[in-house]
Amino acid sequence: MTRQADGGRRTPLSRDRVLRTAVALADRSGIDALSMRSLAQELGVVPMALYKHVANKEQLLDGMVDVVVGEIGPPDGGDGWKDAVRGRILATRHALLRHPWAARVVESRPGPTPGTLGHLDSLIGMFRAGGLSADLTHHAMHALGGRVWGFTQELFPAPPPSADPEVRAAVLREAAVHYPYIVEIATAGAAHDDGSVVGGGCDDRFEFEFALDLLLDGIERLHRQGWSSARHG
Amino acid sequence: MTRQADGGRRTPLSRDRVLRTAVALADRSGIDALSMRSLAQELGVVPMALYKHVANKEQLLDGMVDVVVGEIGPPDGGDGWKDAVRGRILATRHALLRHPWAARVVESRPGPTPGTLGHLDSLIGMFRAGGLSADLTHHAMHALGGRVWGFTQELFPAPPPSADPEVRAAVLREAAVHYPYIVEIATAGAAHDDGSVVGGGCDDRFEFEFALDLLLDGIERLHRQGWSSARHG
DNA sequence: ACCTGAACACCGTTCAAGT
DNA sequence: ACCTGAACACCGTTCAAGT
């Protein structure tokens, strides 16, 4: 007699099945609900059985990151290094957006994984193929930083605005006393309806591409100028 | 008879003392060693006593962030918005570097605190005083993102290089098989000693200022061009 | 009314006992 | 030799019992 939810484990456990089930469980219930114990229960096995396929929880999270990175898909060529890099980073963004927990888990990894190393290597290759020096490429990668994963480290998550517009106005008036500038840029554009994205909440995609293009344009300018760290450090 | 390490609590507990002791404990033992239980022991009180001064552990971490933000010091005027913003962000960086755990805790906060709101407000005020529109300032703040806290989200922490140069060379040769571009930019500059910062490990300060200036220069350029999101969104 | 020890509901991981 | 249940050493927080 077994207590397994699916009435007996038809599919034998494997590292791949452990990782995919972990990804699905985190997608469905959130990363906080993912524990070695809850994952084992989901798979109909005893917690200790997982340790046959992943050394510990850290390695489980590493493996989950690589599952997501594997969903990015191959580079699509593109014309010129800037479009190639831009397209690849936006593709990465889409893969990570499918898994709400992924950005936070990628950030928390204490070291690289085969998947993240491969992703970085292909991105660096695009810069180099475009003729950028190893020196400039190095600093460009640092400048992009976490943005190569397709997400920005937010200043802080926007508090969910109250549904009641009267309550919202009162909150803003109160906040404006202490933080006038924050309230100003958070509400600017609401008065003049000119298509500005300011005011109606923030458009994540716009903010991401704004910053990405600011960086890529700056890198392109330095490349054209023959920039080297030796002449500026 | 008491078991308190300091032979009796001379100083009564207060929110301030709880927060400062938590900061000191995290500085000394690392953020992982900071638990409600370990903090209570450090203060010579029972864990429950802490809940008189902080609602829960989340609020404790919020308070610790504000202690660090309080160490930044006032803005130093400066000439022009760009220098003012730049100086303020570098001052923030120095405050956070004094507390190795701070960057990670700031990142993990699910919402703003009075201290972080005040810091952002003063930064936004510098852009506005320099004549930038609320619109451009809004996007500039998003583009700076987590960098306003003085740290960059790293691609991943560099693995500690082996002390033995022979071992290091072997590791690099092995890595180069799978990740040739990563190894190239990680070792470029080692051959030609021209003052390039590439090769001898990464200079965090250089990388941070490189990215910060790339962004600030780009923002300055857009400001001069009279950029508005209405004409580009 | 106040304070606090024990308890609750977890966690990742170890380890020895059972098959 | 293999598998696994119980146990270990924690955690944040609740709650009722004691003063």
Side-chain angles (χ1 to χ4, degrees):
Chain A
M1 160 184 146
T2 103
R3 288 206 218 102
Q4 289 163 30
D6 68 353
R9 74 184 85 114
R10 286 166 297 220
T11 342
L13 223 53
S14 70
R15 184 180 155 86
D16 191 69
R17 202 160 85 88
V18 167
L19 295 181
R20 287 181 189 287
T21 305
V23 166
L25 182 58
D27 284 348
R28 177 165 27 97
S29 311
I31 194 70
D32 286 342
L34 178 79
S35 67
M36 296 301 271
R37 288 162 132 102
S38 66
L39 176 57
Q41 194 181 33
E42 183 79 9
L43 286 160
V45 299
V46 84
M48 264 304 291
L50 300 176
Y51 288 81
K52 275 273 142 57
H53 302 96
V54 289
N56 49 41
K57 191 176 183 183
E58 293 294 289
Q59 206 189 86
L60 172 73
L61 293 170
D62 279 348
M64 291 169 71
V65 166
D66 279 0
V67 168
V68 175
V69 169
E71 292 175 1
I72 299 174
D76 62 351
D79 18 303
W81 66 268
K82 209 166 83 165
D83 275 1
V85 167
R86 193 178 194 276
R88 185 95 176 121
I89 290 180
L90 292 179
T92 307
R93 175 173 163 81
H94 295 142
L96 265 79
L97 284 179
R98 282 197 291 274
H99 305 282
W101 48 270
R104 183 161 278 246
V105 171
V106 166
E107 276 181 312
S108 76
R109 293 303 76 216
T113 66
T116 59
L117 284 172
H119 180 252
L120 294 183
D121 200 62
S122 80
L123 244 132
I124 295 169
M126 291 176 184
F127 280 112
R128 298 291 285 127
L132 275 75
S133 69
D135 183 25
L136 179 55
T137 301
H138 178 140
H139 302 301
M141 288 297 292
H142 275 286
L144 287 169
R147 236 174 286 254
V148 302
W149 301 118
F151 61 88
T152 318
Q153 199 223 312
E154 293 293 335
L155 297 167
F156 47 77
S162 165
D164 182 348
E166 240 174 272
V167 171
R168 214 168 51 195
V171 168
L172 281 176
R173 263 196 310 276
E174 166 60 21
V177 177
H178 296 106
Y179 315 113
Y181 292 117
I182 291 178
V183 170
E184 184 198 31
I185 69 168
T187 57
H192 51 101
D193 200 344
D194 61 355
S196 161
V197 299
V198 181
C202 302
D203 180 337
D204 284 346
R205 186 174 164 284
F206 182 92
E207 305 303 352
F208 184 81
E209 296 189 13
F210 177 84
L212 180 58
D213 289 334
L214 215 51
L215 289 164
L216 291 178
D217 289 349
I219 292 161
E220 185 179 40
R221 193 168 292 113
L222 294 179
H223 174 48
R224 286 195 182 137
Q225 292 168 0
W227 184 93
S228 155
S229 63
R231 285 195 291 284
H232 297 76
Chain B
M1 159 182 149
T2 102
R3 288 207 220 101
Q4 288 161 31
D6 68 352
R9 73 183 87 113
R10 287 166 293 221
T11 343
L13 224 50
S14 70
R15 183 179 156 86
D16 191 69
R17 203 160 84 89
V18 167
L19 295 180
R20 289 184 187 285
T21 306
V23 166
L25 182 57
D27 285 348
R28 177 164 26 97
S29 311
I31 194 69
D32 287 342
L34 178 79
S35 67
M36 296 302 271
R37 289 163 133 100
S38 66
L39 176 57
Q41 194 181 34
E42 182 79 9
L43 286 159
V45 299
V46 82
M48 266 302 293
L50 299 177
Y51 288 82
K52 275 273 143 58
H53 302 97
V54 289
N56 48 41
K57 191 175 182 182
E58 293 294 289
Q59 207 189 86
L60 172 73
L61 292 170
D62 279 348
M64 291 170 71
V65 166
D66 279 1
V67 168
V68 175
V69 169
E71 292 176 1
I72 298 175
D76 62 350
D79 19 301
W81 65 269
K82 209 167 81 164
D83 275 0
V85 167
R86 192 179 195 276
R88 186 96 177 119
I89 290 180
L90 291 179
T92 307
R93 174 174 164 80
H94 294 142
L96 264 80
L97 284 179
R98 282 196 291 273
H99 306 282
W101 49 271
R104 184 159 278 245
V105 171
V106 166
E107 273 181 315
S108 77
R109 293 303 78 216
T113 65
T116 59
L117 284 172
H119 180 252
L120 294 183
D121 201 62
S122 79
L123 217 64
I124 296 169
M126 290 177 184
F127 281 111
R128 299 288 288 125
L132 276 74
S133 70
D135 183 25
L136 178 56
T137 300
H138 178 140
H139 302 300
M141 288 297 291
H142 274 287
L144 287 170
R147 236 174 286 255
V148 303
W149 301 117
F151 62 89
T152 318
Q153 198 224 313
E154 292 294 334
L155 298 167
F156 48 78
S162 166
D164 183 347
E166 240 175 90
V167 171
R168 214 167 52 194
V171 168
L172 281 176
R173 263 196 311 276
E174 166 60 21
V177 176
H178 297 105
Y179 314 112
Y181 292 116
I182 292 179
V183 171
E184 184 198 30
I185 68 169
T187 56
H192 51 99
D193 201 345
D194 61 355
S196 160
V197 299
V198 181
C202 303
D203 181 338
D204 284 347
R205 186 174 164 281
F206 182 91
E207 306 303 351
F208 184 82
E209 296 189 13
F210 176 85
L212 179 59
D213 289 335
L214 215 51
L215 289 163
L216 292 179
D217 289 348
I219 292 161
E220 184 179 41
R221 195 168 291 114
L222 294 178
H223 174 48
R224 286 194 182 140
Q225 292 168 0
W227 184 93
S228 155
S229 62
R231 286 195 291 282
H232 297 77

